[in-house]
Amino acid sequence: MITPIIILILLTSPLLFGFIKGQVTRQVINIKEYASIGLGITFVFFAVGHIVKTHGMVEMLPPWVPLRLQLVYATGLLEFAVGIALFTTKYRELAAKLAIVIFIVFFRQIFMQPSTALV
């Protein structure tokens, strides 16, 4: 169960770095920028997980879901794209909204009973 700790570290480290940088340089930091970097790193971590732990991800899906392997790769690619987009100012807002949607679907999938969960 080290993965949740890794995720928490990935999410918060850029904000901590930005806070320390702001204190040392006596400048106001852009919290949204550092939060986006943390979320972007985390989404890239999620995407790598889809590649490294593909079999485990496939096993999480119900057997009746078609193309489970392809779905795992597709969601990994989506998470990678969102993660990279969070590093850019041009696509940051759209990527943040997509990240929220992905989190809602993900948490609903985890906490619902298997017979009623989303695919």
Side-chain angles (χ1 to χ4, degrees):
M1 286 304 269
I2 191 135
T3 304
I5 295 169
I6 293 171
I7 293 168
L8 187 60
I9 290 169
L10 292 174
L11 281 170
T12 58
S13 294
L15 278 171
L16 180 61
F17 173 78
F19 175 76
I20 293 169
K21 179 183 172 187
Q23 293 297 315
V24 170
T25 61
R26 305 251 187 242
Q27 295 177 346
V28 177
I29 64 163
N30 183 347
I31 293 176
K32 287 182 180 181
E33 180 179 346
Y34 287 99
S36 294
I37 291 170
L39 192 56
I41 292 169
T42 304
F43 263 82
V44 170
F45 175 75
F46 292 158
V48 169
H50 278 74
I51 304 304
V52 174
K53 300 286 187 178
T54 305
H55 179 71
M57 299 283 183
V58 169
E59 293 299 317
M60 286 187 218
L61 295 170
W64 53 265
V65 173
L67 304 171
R68 295 188 306 166
L69 179 64
Q70 291 84 350
L71 184 61
V72 167
Y73 284 132
T75 55
L77 184 62
L78 174 66
E79 289 171 348
F80 184 76
V82 168
I84 297 301
L86 283 163
F87 296 128
T88 67
T89 54
K90 183 176 181 181
Y91 298 110
R92 186 172 289 153
E93 187 175 336
L94 175 62
K97 290 176 183 177
L98 282 172
I100 291 168
V101 170
I102 291 170
F103 276 130
I104 290 170
V105 170
F106 175 73
F107 283 115
R108 183 164 181 211
Q109 179 71 19
I110 288 177
F111 293 113
M112 290 185 68
Q113 293 180 6
S115 61
T116 61
L118 292 175
V119 176

